[in-house]
Amino acid sequence: MTTPAALQGVKVLELGHYIAGPYCGKLLASHGADVVKVEAPITGDGLRHRGPFAGNDPHFEKSVPFLYLNTSKRGITLNLKDEQGSALCRELIQQTDILVENLAPGTLDGWGLSYEALAEINPSLVMVSISNFGQTGPYRDYRASELVEYAMGGLMYIFGDASREPLKHALDQAQHKAGTYAAGAALMALYYQRRTGQGQWIDVSIQESLAVSLRDTIGIYVYQGAVRSRPPADNKGLGRVVRTSDGYIVPIPYGGVDWEVLANFLEAPELMADRFQTAQGRLDHAQELHGLLEDRFKEWGASDLFHKAQEWGLVFGIVQNVKQVLESPQLQARGSLTEVDHPVAGAAAYPGSAAIFSATPDRPPSPAPMLGQHTEDVLSEWLGLSSEHVRGHRDKGIV
Amino acid sequence: MPLPLDDIRIVEMGQLLAVPHLTRLMADMGAEVIKVESTIRLDPHRGDAFYGNNPGTQPWNQAANFNDQNRNKLGVTLDLSKAEGREALLDLIRLSDVFAVNFRPRVLQNLEIEYPTLREVKPDLIMLTSTGYGSTGPWQNYGAVGPTTEAASGLSSMTGYPDGEPVLPELPHTDYVAAEHGLVAVMAALLHRQRTGEGQLIDLSQAHAQTATIGEAILDYGLRGEVASPVGNSDRLSAPNDVYPCAGHDCWIAISVASDQMWASLCSVMENPSWCQNPKFNSNESRLAHSEELNASLGNWTKSQEAGQLMHRLQAAGVSAGAVATGKDLLLDPHLRERGFFEAVAHYPDSGLPALPYVGRPWKFSLTPGQTRSAAPTLGQHNHYVLGNILGWSEERIVGLEQSGVIGNAPLDPPTAAPLPLERLLELGAIRQADGDFESIVRRIIQAPQ
């Protein structure tokens, strides 16, 4: 007997493409929801055409980001621009608990799939729409990329060195954040729907997903009139990364550390000089201090330094690259990596979800669906259509 | 007005961000959140960014980050080392649905509040532990904060100026990412309990939540053996795609050209200068190959433009572009204001704070919109309400607890808060500007009709 998953029995339809919608669907799938991803026939999710590709082979079943973001889902194709296609979609939506979409605002309206229309056929539907700037407001139809979201979401201005251009994180943090908030919001609305029978529409903005999580940035203006900026490279606080003999560590306790413990740990009695004993003194002599500490750190390997510091109760961090993450004993001990074998792209270790549930462990991931792989299964299971019926739709290019 | 989580009660023992942000979002959507604090060890968020940069007599009630992350919550202080403090906590857990903590296993063990003990008190309890690296495995007792979990997650190793050292943002990004994933996990567990009546323990690893958002890079190592390193702002997929200097001090615009058509539109906004016609730039592939030269020419043009105006002109022409916004820019942004993203929050009189705007939520619910019902609690503000009205303890007993120091309204050992003057922060480059008239600017933000 398999243990039940937390979201067992929850039916999710994903009209998602690229990052944010699919990550939302992936999170729901990892907790056991039945997630059906709808793609356009022939081309599929645009992400299928974005590299890198497994084996450097630009094949639409081998896009690495697509493979990761669509685990544990079933995939069907449906031509929503065709009236019969959108009618089939409406029938599926009658069976759906949560509809996830991240198309440009207004796109679904054009296909007769607006929330208003869908709520008429399924009043308990929870629909979550993720978009660049939300479904309302003067920037609703502005175009954006991950980079533009970082700029307009406020994280970029305070990120990087004062003397250089502002930076963003690698890859697509803003879109992942929006996808995660969307999954949380959809589940809150589903919780309410289970209590009352009432569904609703949720509007998630990627820009606001960044702006809601900016410590010290909006608040410090409201409280002090101060505009935060990027700190000079030699005067970073939280974000200081320091080189060791073979990698980087993050020696957080510059601010609040027990200074004597640090001095003893590093066997650096010079740190006990009077001028370093107060936060103010350490700021005033920052350059000298950084020089002193960095000389010490260079005598260590990053891993030794990290683990030894933790033994001393010092909250140091270690910068791990993706290979080191994969090989990390902590991830391995928590069973957080699963080998997934995709029929076209091949096998690799996939990181699993962040939490371990005592009663409803996450489902081990199944590979991302191949384009249209489950069309017949899903149309038969959800709508009771026969294979012949599905074949008829296929001949007409609807599925 | 009904709210999605208005039948949920949460006991939170969190500090800083990872747990308080999660429960703040749930509180906004209707949950009753009781924040349990200590008068011996204050939440570090009570210790900085004071109103007017002036600690006053009760700095712990005037701190921006604490007040941002803890509104809509009830605040109670309990000394858990004393029998009655522990009894109050267990009684509260008995009456609650969720217990959310960010203590390491060793601390939970010392306090004797591990899941098996609490499950006896409340059999269908959902308990969330949110720790740096998870509550199992060899690193379970390692100390962590946002930047260290971000470093361990793999994200930092790819973030930075091209081929340079790793760069961390000056804020605990991973704490938020962990809170977001924690919210999904707690809601999944609540739905399971709603269906089956069964509670459970959720052991969340903050670093691993962050790793889950860079899964494609982890997979890329497995499938191609590629170890990613910093690439700056480029996604290596299209060009131009970077930030460019604009007129004024430290003003920038992000421009992302995703197609040849967008490139043509950008050129036409620039009035087709001759360098645009260079065949080097006539396809995405070729623009990528010559992106250094391309970026230099484009930056040379943007540097005489005003960032905000240029963003609107480019967007009108269908080009993906955005001015790099400061905190103040966001507060004054017409789009965010029209969407009602900022909410005016009236503070409790004893905090000494005026009504102030705070960021809202990243979502809008059509039927049950969230709301800020009350400001963050001052230290121990709801001791009487929580112990008296929720637990039904007598007033006499509560006064006794005050006298014996089990509960209290002031830190036992008040911190000596000595914030650096803003002039010094300007000098150090931590801030770029300090507006003396910010109070009237902020007041206008919450008074203007939205």
Side-chain angles (χ1 to χ4, degrees):
Chain A
M1 204 189 87
T2 53
T3 27
L7 298 179
Q8 183 157 315
V10 175
K11 285 179 158 178
V12 178
L13 200 69
E14 178 195 302
L15 304 181
H17 63 165
Y18 295 101
I19 313 284
Y23 191 61
C24 176
K26 176 189 169 85
L27 290 170
L28 300 176
S30 75
H31 296 316
D34 178 11
V35 179
V36 171
K37 181 183 179 78
V38 179
E39 296 180 82
I42 302 167
T43 51
D45 183 340
L47 190 61
R48 287 183 180 274
H49 308 279
R50 180 192 286 180
F53 295 94
N56 292 314
D57 173 18
H59 183 285
F60 65 95
E61 299 295 358
K62 295 188 178 179
S63 154
V64 173
F66 182 87
L67 290 168
Y68 176 68
L69 288 168
N70 293 287
T71 49
S72 299
K73 300 175 190 175
R74 293 194 286 175
I76 70 171
T77 53
L78 212 47
N79 182 2
L80 298 175
K81 293 174 187 162
D82 179 284
E83 261 179 46
Q84 279 180 286
S86 64
L88 270 180
C89 191
R90 271 192 294 275
E91 283 184 52
L92 289 169
I93 288 168
Q94 281 183 295
Q95 313 285 323
T96 297
D97 293 303
I98 299 172
L99 173 64
V100 179
E101 66 102 2
N102 67 325
L103 304 166
T107 307
L108 287 179
D109 299 24
W111 299 334
L113 300 171
S114 67
Y115 173 71
E116 289 74 19
L118 299 176
E120 270 182 37
I121 57 170
N122 181 0
S124 60
L125 177 71
V126 171
M127 173 163 162
V128 54
S129 295
I130 310 166
S131 58
N132 290 327
F133 302 104
Q135 304 290 325
T136 60
Y139 305 164
R140 183 189 95 137
D141 297 318
Y142 273 21
R143 290 165 189 251
S145 62
E146 178 71 16
L147 176 72
V148 167
E149 295 288 4
Y150 256 71
M152 294 174 73
L155 183 47
M156 192 163 210
Y157 184 68
I158 57 169
F159 198 162
D161 294 343
S163 61
R164 299 187 68 174
E165 73 274 19
L167 263 186
K168 67 181 270 290
H169 276 114
L171 302 175
D172 303 294
Q173 286 295 298
Q175 295 170 78
H176 281 84
K177 281 171 73 71
T180 316
Y181 279 127
L187 294 181
M188 290 193 281
L190 183 66
Y191 182 84
Y192 185 72
Q193 183 249 57
R194 295 292 199 239
R195 292 166 57 204
T196 63
Q198 292 177 299
Q200 56 185 315
W201 187 24
I202 302 164
D203 163 12
V204 174
S205 150
I206 299 174
Q207 180 193 25
E208 289 167 9
S209 298
L210 278 179
V212 81
S213 46
L214 292 174
R215 196 181 77 155
D216 291 342
T217 304
I218 293 166
I220 204 179
Y221 189 81
V222 170
Y223 271 63
Q224 305 183 344
V227 177
R228 274 189 87 193
S229 48
R230 300 181 301 294
D234 62 354
N235 193 27
K236 293 210 171 158
L238 270 186
R240 175 163 283 269
V241 175
V242 176
R243 192 192 284 276
T244 65
S245 68
D246 64 354
Y248 296 93
I249 60 142
V250 183
I252 279 302
Y254 272 35
V257 71
D258 182 328
W259 204 248
E260 200 172 340
V261 173
L262 184 67
N264 288 335
F265 168 64
L266 291 175
E267 294 172 16
E270 60 273 28
L271 293 181
M272 294 309 291
D274 284 347
R275 62 187 179 285
F276 299 140
Q277 296 316 300
T278 62
Q280 180 67 52
R282 296 199 277 273
L283 261 176
D284 288 340
H285 302 93
Q287 273 189 337
E288 183 194 355
L289 181 60
H290 293 326
L292 256 169
L293 287 168
E294 285 168 19
D295 284 347
R296 289 286 165 172
F297 292 146
K298 281 195 195 100
E299 296 164 6
W300 292 73
S303 179
D304 277 352
L305 182 55
F306 170 63
H307 292 291
K308 272 275 171 349
Q310 289 284 351
E311 278 171 31
W312 280 64
L314 296 165
V315 183
F316 280 25
I318 184 168
V319 176
Q320 298 192 111
N321 66 27
V322 291
K323 180 169 183 278
Q324 291 163 327
V325 170
L326 266 169
E327 290 165 357
S328 148
Q330 179 63 9
L331 273 197
Q332 311 235 351
R334 287 172 61 80
S336 303
L337 293 164
T338 319
E339 180 97 346
V340 175
D341 194 1
H342 185 278
V344 178
Y350 286 54
S353 56
I356 298 176
F357 287 69
S358 66
T360 58
D362 277 355
R363 278 208 291 229
S366 59
M370 293 183 288
L371 187 61
Q373 184 181 350
H374 305 99
T375 305
E376 200 170 317
D377 288 358
V378 172
L379 293 183
S380 146
E381 201 180 295
W382 282 33
L383 304 182
L385 298 193
S386 65
S387 325
E388 248 170 32
H389 205 141
V390 175
R391 210 169 309 125
H393 285 316
R394 182 164 290 145
D395 292 343
K396 284 188 265 177
I398 297 162
V399 305
Chain B
M1 187 175 56
L3 286 165
L5 306 183
D6 58 15
D7 66 342
I8 298 290
R9 180 180 286 145
I10 300 172
V11 175
E12 177 216 297
M13 280 174 62
Q15 46 181 356
L16 294 170
L17 271 168
V19 166
H21 184 62
L22 188 176
T23 54
R24 188 280 261 188
L25 293 170
M26 293 181 75
D28 281 12
M29 302 315 286
E32 180 181 77
V33 178
I34 301 168
K35 186 179 178 82
V36 177
E37 295 184 76
S38 161
T39 56
I40 301 163
R41 277 191 194 170
L42 291 191
D43 182 339
H45 260 174
R46 284 198 180 273
D48 63 11
F50 306 118
Y51 190 70
N53 203 32
N54 174 10
T57 54
Q58 297 184 1
W60 50 89
N61 291 331
Q62 298 215 333
N65 291 316
F66 183 88
N67 290 348
D68 183 17
Q69 297 304 334
N70 294 289
R71 61 204 205 217
N72 275 341
K73 299 181 187 175
L74 298 169
V76 61
T77 55
L78 292 176
D79 181 348
L80 296 178
S81 70
K82 298 200 166 88
E84 285 192 290
R86 181 180 154 76
E87 186 186 341
L89 176 67
L90 295 190
D91 281 0
L92 283 172
I93 288 171
R94 187 173 289 118
L95 296 175
S96 298
D97 303 284
V98 177
F99 180 47
V101 293
N102 56 355
F103 293 139
R104 289 171 260 170
R106 192 161 50 212
V107 178
L108 292 179
Q109 196 181 1
N110 291 343
L111 292 170
E112 295 175 55
I113 51 171
E114 291 168 292
Y115 176 63
T117 308
L118 300 182
R119 192 175 47 186
E120 279 174 31
V121 172
K122 168 75 175 166
D124 64 349
L125 180 71
I126 292 165
M127 176 165 170
L128 170 82
T129 62
S130 169
T131 56
Y133 308 105
S135 293
T136 56
W139 298 13
Q140 58 179 273
N141 280 310
Y142 279 16
V145 288
T148 63
T149 47
E150 182 171 335
S153 75
L155 177 59
S156 311
S157 71
M158 316 184 273
T159 296
Y161 294 103
D163 300 315
E165 303 199 333
V167 177
L168 282 161
E170 287 283 316
L171 58 77
H173 171 74
T174 300
D175 283 349
Y176 288 104
V177 170
E180 293 153 15
H181 285 78
L183 173 64
V184 178
V186 168
M187 284 314 307
L190 276 166
L191 279 153
H192 176 73
R193 197 195 65 160
Q194 192 182 49
R195 194 165 53 85
T196 65
E198 184 181 40
Q200 60 183 314
L201 172 68
I202 305 167
D203 158 16
L204 179 82
S205 157
Q206 295 161 5
H208 194 195
Q210 186 69 75
T211 300
T213 68
I214 57 159
E216 81 172 81
I218 306 285
L219 203 49
D220 199 29
Y221 179 74
L223 289 169
R224 296 194 312 148
E226 192 74 17
V227 177
S229 58
V231 292
N233 291 318
S234 161
D235 58 6
R236 290 187 176 163
L237 295 169
S238 58
N241 181 36
D242 213 323
V243 284
Y244 303 91
C246 287
H249 170 63
D250 203 26
C251 294
W252 305 82
I253 190 165
I255 300 175
S256 295
V257 168
S259 65
D260 289 340
Q261 195 192 343
M262 245 190 226
W263 169 245
S265 303
L266 171 61
C267 291
S268 100
V269 172
M270 290 190 285
E271 295 171 347
N272 294 303
S274 56
W275 65 265
C276 271
Q277 314 308 320
N278 189 324
K280 279 183 204 168
F281 302 142
N282 68 8
S283 73
N284 184 50
E285 206 178 5
S286 182
R287 285 192 295 274
L288 263 175
H290 300 96
S291 57
E292 207 166 310
E293 192 182 335
L294 173 64
N295 283 338
S297 299
L298 182 52
N300 198 37
W301 179 77
T302 58
K303 73 182 184 198
S304 60
Q305 309 286 321
E306 195 278 320
Q309 286 167 14
L310 181 57
M311 163 175 84
H312 296 303
R313 277 168 64 207
L314 288 171
Q315 287 283 359
V319 177
S320 177
V324 177
T326 66
K328 182 182 180 184
D329 293 338
L330 290 171
L331 276 161
L332 299 173
D333 184 82
H335 176 76
L336 293 176
R337 294 180 66 190
E338 184 172 317
R339 283 175 58 76
F341 182 61
F342 297 104
E343 296 177 314
V345 177
H347 293 90
Y348 295 109
D350 52 342
S351 72
L353 295 173
L356 295 171
Y358 289 87
V359 294
R361 291 155 294 284
W363 52 62
K364 302 207 175 297
F365 282 49
S366 63
L367 183 68
T368 59
Q371 53 180 217
T372 300
R373 302 177 297 284
S374 58
T378 57
L379 190 66
Q381 174 164 2
H382 301 102
N383 286 347
H384 284 256
Y385 176 81
V386 169
L387 299 179
N389 295 45
I390 297 180
L391 294 186
W393 290 12
S394 71
E395 186 62 21
E396 204 185 345
R397 186 174 180 194
I398 297 169
V399 171
L401 295 181
E402 263 168 352
Q403 282 159 357
S404 58
V406 174
I407 61 174
N409 296 81
L412 215 59
D413 182 17
T416 45
L420 292 177
L422 296 183
E423 297 72 43
R424 179 79 175 119
L425 291 174
L426 278 165
E427 225 175 80
L428 290 168
I431 59 176
R432 105 168 182 194
Q433 175 185 333
D435 291 350
D437 57 347
F438 77 97
E439 285 172 90
S440 66
I441 295 172
V442 168
R443 212 162 29 240
R444 279 201 300 277
I445 290 167
I446 53 177
Q447 280 165 353
Q450 288 184 338

